[in-house]
Amino acid sequence: MNTNTMSYKTKQFLMFAGIPTFVFAAVVIVPFVYGLYLTFTSWDGVSLQKPFVGLQNYIQAFQDSAYWQSLGRTIIYTIIAVILVNVVAFLLAFLVTSGVKGQNFFRAGFFVPNLIGGIVLGYVWKFVFNRAFVAIGKSMNIDVLKSSWLATTGGAMFCLIIVSVWQYAGYMMLIYVAGFMSVSKDVIEAAKIDGCTNMQTIVRISVPLMVSSFVQCLFLTLTRCFMVYDVNLSLTKGEPFNSTVMAAMHVYNKAFTYKDFGVGQAEALILFVVCAIVGVIQVYVGKKAEVSA
């Protein structure tokens, strides 16, 4: 490769990818590297000195029982939310691709919750759980609605899952809609001619041909649920009795509330590694299923 060709390709790269590469490096790479450096210091977030402490922050992170409780709580929340989000999204996608009247309107309506910011969404649903449901329960004498679900440990977690499903299902629905539309109608018609019922057609024809949609939706919901913070903050603030403090909220509190940036960054890095491992395994298994299908 001569100098002119290399210069031409360099100019092309800078023209089309230079700014995005710079922004990505400034917003993602540099903060990540700086955060990795902070895990080896005892910085309080205010002072100019950043004393080097080696692996002490990682040792404290592994000894922090509250962190591991929040991570375990996050895993339970993620498992339940991921299953419910994808089941609801798949059913909605089937509904709006089945030829129902006004299906385009329903697609837009189901997608709208994803456009609302997590902070606003949390406050809206907090009003619903604390005021609207309670008023309905008292007026209609429904015992389960007479008191706020956010006031109990199990109820608050259940509320968090409900809001997450309501927020994410519409976005995942669009991916499943694309999956349904990618299945050839000729294949569906051939299956029906061979005597397959609608359920058999979905299970044996559509679902295997939509594996790529499942892989994408599972990956997106896993990463979003593992890193949930905004809804967690505005809906429950980790209450009652810190029973809904997720891993991301614990990391934030450790770094910015308790001014322990070193340990907070170490715990954030551990959370990142856990998310990366889970995401890679999920994508690897999903791709294998996609190839076999």
Side-chain angles (χ1 to χ4, degrees):
M1 182 180 296
N2 57 41
T3 305
N4 292 334
T5 303
M6 183 177 295
S7 176
Y8 175 73
K9 290 192 173 183
T10 302
K11 290 179 181 179
Q12 277 192 320
F13 173 81
L14 292 176
M15 181 181 298
F16 293 103
I19 294 178
T21 302
F22 172 78
V23 172
F24 178 78
V27 175
V28 178
I29 302 299
V30 173
F32 181 84
V33 174
Y34 183 65
L36 183 61
Y37 159 71
L38 289 180
T39 63
F40 299 103
T41 70
S42 60
W43 187 43
D44 60 3
V46 178
S47 63
L48 297 177
Q49 290 76 27
K50 299 180 178 65
F52 183 81
V53 295
L55 297 176
Q56 185 62 36
N57 290 329
Y58 290 97
I59 296 174
Q60 292 185 33
F62 280 104
Q63 293 176 345
D64 187 356
S65 59
Y67 172 68
W68 294 105
Q69 289 174 1
S70 68
L71 185 58
R73 201 176 294 123
T74 303
I75 292 174
I76 295 173
Y77 155 79
T78 299
I79 292 173
I80 299 174
V82 165
I83 293 173
L84 291 179
V85 166
N86 284 277
V87 169
V88 172
F90 183 84
L91 293 177
L92 292 178
F94 175 73
L95 173 66
V96 299
T97 56
S98 61
V100 64
K101 187 176 181 180
Q103 62 184 23
N104 291 332
F105 171 79
F106 286 118
R107 289 183 190 181
F110 293 142
F111 181 74
V112 165
N114 188 74
L115 302 177
I116 304 175
I119 295 293
V120 175
L121 196 65
Y123 283 123
V124 169
W125 276 95
K126 190 173 185 177
F127 170 81
V128 172
F129 289 126
N130 284 341
R131 301 297 180 87
F133 282 179
V134 172
I136 293 173
K138 290 180 178 179
S139 62
M140 301 183 66
N141 197 27
I142 303 175
D143 292 336
V144 73
L145 297 178
K146 285 184 177 180
S147 60
S148 174
W149 294 348
L150 293 173
T152 62
T153 55
M157 181 64 73
F158 181 63
C159 292
L160 190 59
I161 292 172
I162 290 176
V163 176
S164 298
V165 173
W166 191 78
Q167 181 182 20
Y168 298 142
Y171 181 77
M172 304 307 156
M173 175 200 69
L174 295 184
I175 299 177
Y176 285 124
V177 166
F180 272 113
M181 296 180 67
S182 67
V183 179
S184 175
K185 293 183 179 180
D186 295 336
V187 177
I188 301 296
E189 291 176 359
K192 291 183 177 179
I193 291 174
D194 290 338
C196 289
T197 63
N198 289 334
M199 182 60 67
Q200 290 175 330
T201 302
I202 294 173
V203 174
R204 298 180 181 273
I205 304 297
S206 298
V207 170
L209 295 176
M210 292 173 56
V211 174
S212 60
S213 297
F214 284 101
V215 172
Q216 295 175 44
C217 288
L218 286 173
F219 177 78
L220 290 173
T221 48
L222 275 171
T223 52
R224 289 188 177 195
C225 290
F226 256 110
M227 305 303 295
V228 64
Y229 175 75
D230 49 2
V231 174
N232 192 190
L233 175 65
S234 58
L235 183 64
T236 68
K237 292 185 180 179
E239 301 298 334
F241 312 114
N242 294 328
S243 61
T244 58
V245 174
M246 298 298 170
M249 176 174 283
H250 178 87
V251 169
Y252 178 90
N253 291 339
K254 178 70 72 172
F256 295 98
T257 302
Y258 307 130
K259 304 301 180 182
D260 196 347
F261 275 77
V263 178
Q265 284 290 339
E267 292 177 348
L269 185 62
I270 294 172
L271 178 61
F272 168 77
V273 171
V274 171
C275 293
I277 292 174
V278 172
V280 168
I281 292 174
Q282 181 265 316
V283 171
Y284 174 73
V285 173
K287 289 297 182 181
K288 285 189 66 176
E290 184 177 352
V291 171
S292 61

